[in-house]
Amino acid sequence: MQTQTLGFGARLALALTLPWRVLFDGRIAALVAQAAAGGPLALSAEPSPAPAAPEPPQALPEVVAEVAGPDYTSAMQVLAILQRDGRFIDFLHEDVAQFSDAEIGAAARVVHAGCKRALDEYVTIEPVRPEADGARITLAPGFNATQHRLTGNVVGEPPYTGELAHPGWRITRLSLPTLSPGHDATVVAPAEVEL
Amino acid sequence: MIEIEGMDVGVPKFAIGIDLGTTNCALAATPLDVKDAEPVSFPVPQVIAPSEVKSEGLLPSFLYLPAREELPRGALALPWAPMSRVAVGRFARDHGAGSPVRLIHSAKSWLSHAGVDRRGDILPWGAPEDVPKISPLDASARYLEHIRAAWDEAHPEAPLDEQEVVLTVPASFDAIARELTVEAAMQAGLPGSLRLLEEPQAALYAWLADRGSSWRKEVKVGDTLLVVDVGGGTTDFSLIAVRQSDDGTLHLERVAVGQHILLGGDNMDLALAHTVKARLASEGTALDDWQMRALTHACRVGKEALLADPDLAEWPLVIAGRGSRLIGGTVRTALQRAEVDRVLLEGFLPFVDASARPQQRRRMGLQTLGLPYATDAGITRHLAAFLGREGLDRVDPAHSFVHPSAVLFNGGVTRSDTVRQRLLSIITGWIEAEGGAAPTVLEGVHPDQAVSRGGAYYAHARSSGGVRIKGGTARSYYVGVEQAGLAVPGLEPDVDALCIAPFGMEEGSEVELPEPFGLYVGEPVAFRFFGSGERQADAVGAVLAPEALDELAPIEITLTADEDSPGGVVPVHLHARVTEVGTLELSAVEDGTGRRWKLSFNVRVE
């Protein structure tokens, strides 16, 4: 048997699911142990014990998501939560041009109520500045430039005095549900089939 | 407690209250070594979506049994059970709403339903053959097991079965439902030192915990406190009297509990949803089952918003279509204030006289064995019947019902100010019509968590001293004995009911029925068994006609043959004892020798 290499996406998927399978499938664990020890790889040659139920014949073609880079799992999880609770992806994926404002407004209530509930549950977001829009504020020398963006007539040295156009937002708490290992986070909404 | 080489093994560190609710469970704990520590709710990790685990203050009492390949492997994994194949909690509730044939809910109501075999595998009720089923007892055990495992995971140094644990039950639970609850708790690995506590009492304990020592200033001797507990699925009433001990201090005594009423907030949401659905249908919009569930959920949100803000005229209801096309398929309407007033306030909390009584709809002919939901939705009529019950101490003989001097509200429905005000003004109206003074409201308990917190407070008070509510058995119990007389072919012999356990028996006390019995060795004997929540004056041995009582599951005993009694008749007296746990134990005690055989409740239904 020839040794083939896998693409990054497939490797990522394998890295995510393998620990789980090793933990709960003795056969896989034995094979991995064998491979790690430099033994001959025999994943396909191994005569597998007769499965209890036949595999479904019309399995969907395997889609390997191209999710590379750092761990994006929690980003995908946030999208899944917004879709689940607030139909966020459905809403953004619809062509709104053909609908009246009233129809879009009705749907927006679903999205607003659901996404707000989800956001409140998992994230606490506070304004960066406590003052209301339009308030006059002064930024002392050494002010936090990450928290403030200056526009307009930016001349001279601080202190700067100006009008608060937007009080900003910042996250003070973020707690997402724990995902079990092996969970395929790329499926942000499973297809629903009513039997 | 065992001490091994100076190390404390199994010394309890926490007082814990567990609320095993019809729709939600909760646990609260307080450290035993801190005096007056406030009970804190314990967030329970649970699956909220496939492969997602989150801790929440309440564990919804729902169990979902997925089909073999319905969910990917590991989707229901919990930190302590990576191979879990069933879901308990929020995901079970939310997902199960869409696949009701695999969803178990209201297990607690089934546990107290005498019409079914409570140890039999009957849930999900009415599910098709190939869906696995479990018993109401096992389902209750699963919820408790989940909570126990969650606690143990978070507190490996103080496992739950070594703590002081109090488990709450509805005041209206009879001896058999209590016994089954304890059985479920033992199956779930709760400690044998467990104590049962009635939920309305637990709510009052939560109030006591909140008030500290100042509670004595808010009530006085002679006061009667009414606890109105309207939860998701059940409504429970209790009366608690403030009395003076011999040493002059105040103490509390639970003097009456209401009937078991299967009626609560879920009924209200469903009633509103059906009202809106009928209106939409009349306008030409039909909703499918999936949209109906979304509508019920939206009605709950709308109900809470309209009840919270009296200035709102309506609350928008938007029911999304199920497909990915969100905008076109959305149904839009509004929940009108008039609908909430008519359906909810007039339907569930009608203004009635103190003399009103629930309508008992005569059930005709064939009847399915489903849960015995209340036939009259009028909570205020049930309340009037409770306060006007014969045999309660009305203090003043001119009163036609008990005039409570204070009211404590508990249960999710009473989070609403409008609901509390409505109930209070109805009770006040009744009392003022007889020249009495309006009751005060005991404020400050959190309606969702009071019961578990009160349970923890009680567990703490038991071990280190503190105010206790005197209670005892909430019902009196009777055995059926055939009247001696000439046998008439074709007629059942008449049965007398003998009081075997009077109302208000305290934990640890025991009584003996004066009537002697002769039991045949080796032959199973069954007694009919009855209970009553309304007959508080019957003493042990009192004889009455069973028609006035509720028939419970029969009790059984078989005297086994041994060297001392190889056969023949053994003369016995029947004894009733209230165990330390809070269950009723019946036994036959042989005259002379004192040998004892336990009688067991037979909950099997033929």
Side-chain angles (χ1 to χ4, degrees):
Chain A
M1 194 175 116
Q2 267 191 327
T3 307
Q4 293 170 334
T5 55
L6 293 172
F8 182 82
R11 294 211 302 277
L12 180 73
L14 191 63
L16 288 172
T17 56
L18 202 55
W20 201 243
R21 297 176 68 193
V22 166
L23 205 48
F24 299 113
D25 191 331
R27 202 171 60 84
I28 298 281
L31 285 166
V32 170
Q34 202 179 359
L41 285 170
L43 273 168
S44 54
E46 179 89 354
S48 57
E55 284 294 308
Q58 29 59 284
L60 295 170
E62 196 65 26
V63 180
V64 178
E66 295 200 14
V67 183
D71 184 5
Y72 286 134
T73 309
S74 48
M76 296 188 277
Q77 192 184 359
V78 169
L79 285 174
I81 288 169
L82 293 177
Q83 163 66 13
R84 184 167 74 221
D85 290 353
R87 308 285 297 270
F88 184 66
I89 295 169
D90 288 342
F91 185 66
L92 295 189
H93 264 260
E94 261 196 286
D95 176 12
V96 294
Q98 54 176 310
F99 295 106
S100 71
D101 285 2
E103 285 172 313
I104 297 169
R109 281 194 189 277
V110 173
V111 180
H112 180 267
C115 291
K116 168 144 180 64
R117 192 169 57 239
L119 202 63
D120 289 348
E121 187 168 350
Y122 301 107
V123 192
T124 308
I125 297 184
E126 288 174 359
V128 174
R129 301 287 316 193
E131 298 89 350
D133 285 14
R136 285 200 75 75
I137 63 169
T138 300
L139 299 173
F143 70 93
N144 187 328
T146 310
Q147 293 182 0
H148 301 85
R149 177 160 309 152
L150 309 180
T151 53
N153 193 18
V154 187
V155 288
E157 294 297 312
Y160 295 127
T161 296
E163 189 173 289
L164 187 64
H166 189 295
W169 295 113
R170 63 175 168 177
I171 291 172
T172 57
R173 176 195 65 102
L174 173 68
S175 81
L176 292 172
T178 318
L179 286 179
S180 57
H183 172 67
D184 182 359
T186 58
V187 180
V188 288
E192 293 183 25
V193 185
E194 179 97 28
L195 303 185
Chain B
M1 279 172 248
I2 317 154
E3 293 216 344
I4 301 173
E5 290 170 15
M7 253 175 62
D8 289 346
V9 176
V11 176
K13 297 185 177 72
F14 291 95
I16 289 175
I18 299 177
D19 175 5
L20 175 64
T22 314
T23 46
N24 285 297
C25 299
L27 183 150
T30 180
L32 277 166
D33 55 5
V34 181
K35 201 175 175 293
D36 300 330
E38 198 186 327
V40 176
S41 292
F42 169 68
V44 184
Q46 53 197 282
V47 176
I48 62 158
S51 300
E52 286 185 46
V53 172
K54 180 168 178 272
S55 297
E56 308 218 314
L58 298 175
L59 176 74
S61 313
F62 292 80
L63 181 66
Y64 186 77
L65 309 162
R68 206 168 63 85
E69 298 193 32
E70 181 180 345
L71 295 165
R73 188 180 264 239
L76 301 179
L78 290 161
W80 58 86
M83 296 303 282
S84 175
R85 305 264 313 153
V86 299
V88 171
R90 183 166 140 188
F91 174 66
R93 181 192 65 193
D94 296 352
H95 180 66
S99 314
V101 294
R102 292 184 173 273
L103 177 69
I104 293 174
H105 63 95
S106 306
K108 184 178 173 182
S109 300
W110 289 102
L111 202 61
S112 63
H113 180 15
V116 296
D117 179 359
R118 288 167 268 181
R119 285 202 187 86
D121 295 335
I122 58 168
L123 300 179
W125 183 254
E129 287 277 306
D130 70 323
V131 173
K133 297 189 185 67
I134 66 172
S135 69
L137 182 82
D138 289 338
S140 305
R142 286 291 183 96
Y143 304 144
L144 292 172
E145 220 254 303
H146 184 106
I147 291 175
R148 181 191 60 73
W151 172 273
D152 288 356
E153 167 90 7
H155 303 85
E157 78 300 343
L160 194 70
D161 71 353
E162 293 173 4
Q163 311 309 309
E164 299 281 354
V165 177
V166 162
L167 180 61
T168 61
V169 289
S172 49
F173 256 25
D174 64 33
I176 299 166
R178 280 167 205 244
E179 169 115 356
L180 292 169
T181 304
V182 171
E183 216 177 299
M186 293 303 109
Q187 202 171 310
L190 267 58
S193 61
L194 175 82
R195 297 288 181 265
L196 295 183
L197 175 67
E198 292 171 8
E199 287 159 11
Q201 287 190 44
L204 190 61
Y205 278 118
W207 178 76
L208 291 169
D210 181 66
R211 282 302 187 273
S213 57
S214 74
W215 71 272
R216 289 185 173 81
K217 298 190 191 93
E218 292 192 44
V219 297
K220 59 181 189 307
V221 175
D223 277 0
T224 307
L225 317 178
L226 168 67
V227 182
V228 177
D229 187 346
V230 188
T234 52
T235 293
D236 214 358
F237 306 122
S238 284
L239 281 173
I240 293 161
V242 184
R243 299 203 164 137
Q244 193 155 31
S245 308
D246 295 336
D247 61 2
T249 57
L250 292 188
H251 76 260
L252 300 166
E253 187 172 340
R254 196 267 286 109
V255 290
V257 305
Q259 300 262 5
H260 199 59
I261 308 169
L262 288 189
L263 181 64
D266 296 348
N267 305 57
M268 299 180 181
D269 303 334
L270 206 57
L272 284 174
H274 277 287
T275 306
V276 174
K277 185 189 182 190
R279 173 158 56 76
L280 286 172
S282 71
E283 293 163 10
T285 308
L287 298 182
D288 61 24
D289 286 354
W290 195 85
Q291 289 171 311
M292 183 63 189
R293 285 194 295 277
L295 174 63
T296 308
H297 182 75
C299 281
R300 170 161 50 237
V301 176
K303 172 193 80 177
E304 285 172 6
L306 287 169
L307 288 176
D309 182 356
D311 296 331
L312 274 181
E314 60 173 41
W315 181 261
L317 297 175
V318 184
I319 305 123
R322 189 174 192 180
S324 64
R325 297 180 60 80
L326 182 65
I327 302 178
T330 299
V331 177
R332 186 181 178 195
T333 181
L335 183 62
Q336 310 289 339
R337 170 159 300 279
E339 285 171 327
V340 170
D341 286 350
R342 178 164 51 83
V343 174
L344 210 152
L345 299 181
E346 295 310 316
F348 289 88
L349 304 168
F351 273 104
V352 294
D353 288 337
S355 59
R357 295 294 178 263
Q359 293 154 9
Q360 300 287 354
R361 199 185 309 144
R362 178 82 35 214
R363 297 183 190 260
M364 305 291 282
L366 281 175
Q367 180 195 336
T368 61
L369 277 172
L371 284 175
Y373 291 110
T375 51
D376 188 334
I379 288 173
T380 43
R381 276 189 288 270
H382 289 282
L383 181 58
F386 172 63
L387 293 175
R389 184 191 277 179
E390 292 298 324
L392 290 185
D393 179 10
R394 294 175 186 166
V395 184
D396 182 336
H399 295 171
S400 70
F401 64 97
V402 175
H403 292 190
S405 34
V407 184
L408 176 74
F409 292 108
N410 189 47
V413 172
T414 67
R415 271 186 315 221
S416 150
D417 255 337
T418 311
V419 168
R420 287 201 303 271
Q421 289 309 323
R422 173 93 170 186
L423 278 162
L424 189 65
S425 68
I426 290 171
I427 300 168
T428 303
W430 295 342
I431 296 175
E432 287 179 344
E434 296 191 354
T440 55
V441 176
L442 304 181
E443 302 275 6
V445 306
H446 188 293
D448 280 332
Q449 276 152 353
V451 168
S452 58
R453 288 188 194 178
Y457 178 84
Y458 170 72
H460 194 281
R462 279 190 66 93
S463 78
S464 51
V467 63
R468 298 263 300 272
I469 302 168
K470 203 162 155 279
T473 47
R475 296 180 176 217
S476 46
Y477 294 95
Y478 308 80
V479 285
V481 178
E482 287 179 13
Q483 286 173 2
L486 287 175
V488 181
L491 280 185
E492 287 268 317
D494 283 341
V495 168
D496 280 336
L498 266 68
C499 179
I500 186 172
F503 177 90
M505 272 179 75
E506 296 269 358
E507 289 161 20
S509 65
E510 175 159 348
V511 293
E512 181 187 88
L513 191 62
E515 183 102 354
F517 290 88
L519 300 183
Y520 282 95
V521 171
E523 274 185 33
V525 183
F527 293 93
R528 286 171 74 186
F529 187 54
F530 305 90
S532 169
E534 309 189 359
R535 304 191 57 90
Q536 304 196 351
D538 290 342
V540 179
V543 181
L544 55 147
E547 284 73 30
L549 309 169
D550 306 323
E551 178 144 20
L552 310 173
I555 44 177
E556 279 185 347
I557 184 171
T558 305
L559 268 53
T560 42
D562 60 15
E563 287 164 17
D564 296 328
S565 357
V569 178
V570 176
V572 298
H573 277 80
L574 297 185
H575 284 231
R577 192 171 81 88
V578 178
T579 64
E580 294 296 329
V581 173
T583 53
L584 183 71
E585 195 175 272
L586 302 175
S587 41
V589 181
E590 185 177 8
D591 296 352
T593 68
R595 280 201 304 160
R596 210 173 248 273
W597 293 270
K598 225 186 121 191
L599 287 98
S600 52
F601 299 115
N602 179 1
V603 297
R604 230 168 298 120
V605 173
E606 303 304 332

